[in-house]
């Protein structure tokens, strides 16, 4: 057999497409393998937690058994991280929080262990944990994004904007549109004081468009800032224009630094008409408007929206946020667990 190096020549027709297909298949296989490993790890940790719970309940073993178990498991498996007393306590808490094995296997096993720690550490009840777990799976959130969404109170804000969608949009689109908006929006990532003016907030949002899109939620795509529309020979500028991929429509966002006033909706409606006539394609649905203001009277907002024929929503935005204090717990922090699971670290 010849050991001569292979001569690289121009590949034959179709080679590039074949190579691209192979790389995609290899990448997908790697992803499936990684998911399978994670699934087995999460299920193993749940089973260990269940064993600890059952034996402590049945035989009256105290907390010290976890220290003994950690020592013996690390002696038996010195190259495997994750059997520290801290992580075993999390396994016990994990099994206690999720007694339904079918839910663990069908849903939670899709999330990495670090995500499980965040759900346990940051949330007090099963209902909120289920909601955030489902969202993390749906939107492929990283652990850091999951924690940020929890700490910003996404569950309490989702779908809370005052809108007229129910009366102005078909049922299916109305529900999705309502859930796509929240109230209030948190813009504390801008590091701006409450006195910041509209143009300063607008400019900062564009500079931090990645964080802005994350706060807006899944489906929003940035189109432009100060988008020009020419109406009757006069120039008008839309503060921020987005396209929502799931709703298949443009979303016009107007910023107001003061309290909401009913006349603000007249300007927003004008921009919606301009976008629908000049920008919207035949395949797009009617555009939606979102007015972001520093404060609003909910009753006034509902009255103002009631006679508007175009779909609109009104929500507040906050430039600074006091994060809620972390829940008191006897479990170690997520950061502690992460440090000890890193290669080369051990208790």
């Amino acid at each position: 057999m010849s050991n001569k190096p292979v001569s690289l020549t121009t590949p034959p027709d179709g080679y590039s497409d074949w190579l691209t297909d192979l790389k995609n298949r290899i990448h997908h296989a790697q992803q499936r393998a990684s998911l399978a490993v994670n699934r087995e790890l999460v299920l193993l940790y749940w089973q260990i937690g269940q064993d600890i719970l059952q034996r402590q309940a049945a035989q009256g073993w105290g907390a010290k058994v976890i220290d003994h178990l950690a020592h013996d498991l690390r002696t038996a498996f010195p190259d495997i991280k994750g059997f520290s007393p801290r992580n075993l306590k999390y396994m016990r808490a994990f099994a206690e929080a999720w007694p339904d094995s079918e839910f663990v296997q069908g849903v939670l096993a899709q999330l990495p262990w670090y995500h499980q720690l965040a759900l346990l550490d940051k949330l007090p009840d099963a209902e909120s944990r289920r909601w955030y777990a489902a969202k993390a799976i749906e939107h492929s959130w990283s652990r850091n994004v999951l924690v940020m969404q929890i700490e910003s109170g996404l569950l309490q804000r989702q779908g809370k904007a005052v809108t007229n969608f129910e009366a102005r949009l078909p049922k299916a689109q109305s529900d999705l549109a309502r859930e796509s908006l929240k109230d209030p929006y948190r813009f504390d990532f801008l590091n701006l004081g409450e006195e910041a003016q509209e143009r300063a907030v607008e400019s900062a949002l564009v500079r931090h468009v990645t964080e802005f899109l994350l706060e807006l939620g899944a489906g929003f795509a940035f189109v432009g800032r100060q988008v020009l529309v020419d109406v009757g020979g006069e120039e008008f500028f839309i503060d921020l224009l987005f396209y929502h991929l799931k709703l298949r429509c443009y979303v016009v966002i107007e910023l107001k630094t003061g309290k909401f006033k009913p006349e603000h909706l007249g300007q927003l409606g004008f921009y919606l008409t301009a976008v629908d006539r000049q920008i919207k394609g035949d395949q797009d649905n009617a555009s939606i408007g979102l007015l972001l203001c520093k404060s609003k009277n909910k009753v006034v907002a509902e009255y103002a929206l009631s006679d508007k024929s175009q779909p609109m929503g009104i929500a507040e935005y906050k430039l600074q946020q006091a994060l809620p204090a972390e829940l008191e717990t006897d479990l170690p922090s997520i950061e502690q667990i992460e440090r000890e699971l890193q290669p080369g670290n051990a208790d």
Side-chain angles (χ1 to χ4, degrees):
M1 182 180 292
S2 174
N3 292 323
K4 292 181 180 180
V6 177
S7 177
L8 296 178
T9 59
T10 302
D13 291 343
Y15 176 85
S16 295
D17 291 340
W18 177 54
L19 178 60
T20 298
D21 178 61
L22 281 179
K23 288 193 287 188
N24 286 334
R25 283 153 59 186
I26 292 170
H27 178 65
H28 290 153
Q30 289 175 325
Q31 285 184 319
R32 289 195 299 271
S34 176
L35 290 172
V37 169
N38 174 76
R39 174 184 174 80
E40 291 302 317
L41 180 68
V42 170
L43 293 179
L44 173 64
Y45 282 179
W46 183 83
Q47 291 163 0
I48 292 174
Q50 279 288 320
D51 282 355
I52 295 172
L53 280 173
Q54 291 169 4
R55 292 175 185 276
Q56 284 183 326
Q59 302 182 33
W61 291 350
K64 285 295 183 182
V65 71
I66 291 179
D67 294 328
H68 286 294
L69 182 61
H71 175 269
D72 292 338
L73 287 176
R74 287 188 293 185
T75 300
F77 304 100
D79 296 327
I80 299 179
K81 305 298 178 184
F83 293 137
S84 70
R86 287 178 181 145
N87 210 33
L88 288 173
K89 288 179 182 177
Y90 259 117
M91 294 177 204
R92 184 188 186 280
F94 180 53
E96 189 172 34
W98 304 110
D100 184 352
S101 62
E102 291 186 4
F103 181 75
V104 174
Q105 293 180 48
V107 178
L108 290 181
Q110 299 177 60
L111 292 173
W113 183 238
Y114 290 158
H115 288 60
Q116 314 292 353
L117 302 184
L119 294 171
L120 289 174
D121 198 49
K122 300 291 184 181
L123 296 165
D125 59 89
E127 183 179 353
S128 59
R129 288 170 183 161
R130 282 176 181 268
W131 191 88
Y132 281 103
K135 291 296 180 183
I137 293 168
E138 179 184 356
H139 303 305
S140 301
W141 287 342
S142 69
R143 200 294 306 268
N144 288 339
V145 170
L146 171 61
V147 170
M148 186 209 73
Q149 300 288 21
I150 292 172
E151 291 184 337
S152 70
L154 178 63
L155 175 57
Q156 292 73 32
R157 299 185 292 131
Q158 193 83 40
K160 294 300 189 291
V162 180
T163 74
N164 62 0
F165 294 160
E166 186 174 358
R168 301 293 177 256
L169 295 172
K171 173 64 176 173
Q173 190 183 11
S174 169
D175 291 345
L176 179 56
R178 187 181 66 255
E179 287 302 308
S180 298
L181 303 186
K182 61 189 71 166
D183 187 27
Y185 285 84
R186 301 291 190 184
F187 295 160
D188 45 303
F189 57 84
L190 300 179
N191 294 318
L192 294 176
E194 288 294 320
E195 72 285 351
Q197 298 301 304
E198 289 169 16
R199 195 56 58 89
V201 174
E202 180 188 311
S203 299
L205 287 174
V206 174
R207 289 198 304 272
H208 296 82
V209 70
T210 299
E211 292 91 341
F212 186 25
L213 286 170
L214 185 60
E215 174 62 6
L216 286 176
F220 283 87
F222 180 63
V223 176
R225 169 202 174 198
Q226 290 297 305
V227 177
L228 171 66
V229 289
D230 185 304
V231 178
E234 295 187 38
E235 293 183 344
F236 299 89
F237 297 89
I238 299 170
D239 284 349
L240 296 161
L241 184 62
F242 291 82
Y243 189 86
H244 199 284
L245 301 175
K246 292 183 179 180
L247 291 168
R248 299 187 64 82
C249 71
Y250 286 94
V251 181
V252 176
I253 296 181
E254 282 294 300
L255 286 168
K256 300 297 177 185
T257 55
K259 187 175 182 179
F260 167 73
K261 297 180 180 179
E263 53 264 34
H264 293 158
L265 295 183
Q267 181 184 27
L268 182 59
F270 176 80
Y271 289 147
L272 285 173
T273 300
V275 169
D276 280 344
R277 292 186 182 181
Q278 298 184 20
I279 301 176
K280 183 179 84 70
D282 294 337
Q283 74 280 6
D284 298 323
N285 292 316
S287 302
I288 289 173
L290 172 60
L291 186 79
L292 291 175
C293 52
K294 288 290 265 314
S295 64
K296 69 180 185 305
N297 181 305
K298 185 177 179 180
V299 176
V300 172
E302 290 173 346
Y303 269 57
L305 285 170
S306 64
D307 65 346
K308 294 294 181 288
S309 60
Q310 296 159 301
M312 299 179 184
I314 304 167
E316 297 178 0
Y317 68 89
K318 305 295 183 185
L319 291 176
Q320 294 176 331
Q321 175 188 11
L323 293 178
E326 290 190 11
L327 297 171
E328 291 295 329
T329 175
D330 59 354
L331 294 172
S333 69
I334 301 172
E335 290 73 19
Q336 286 176 304
I337 293 291
E338 285 184 338
R339 284 196 299 270
E340 74 179 26
L341 292 183
Q342 296 302 316
N345 292 335
D347 279 1

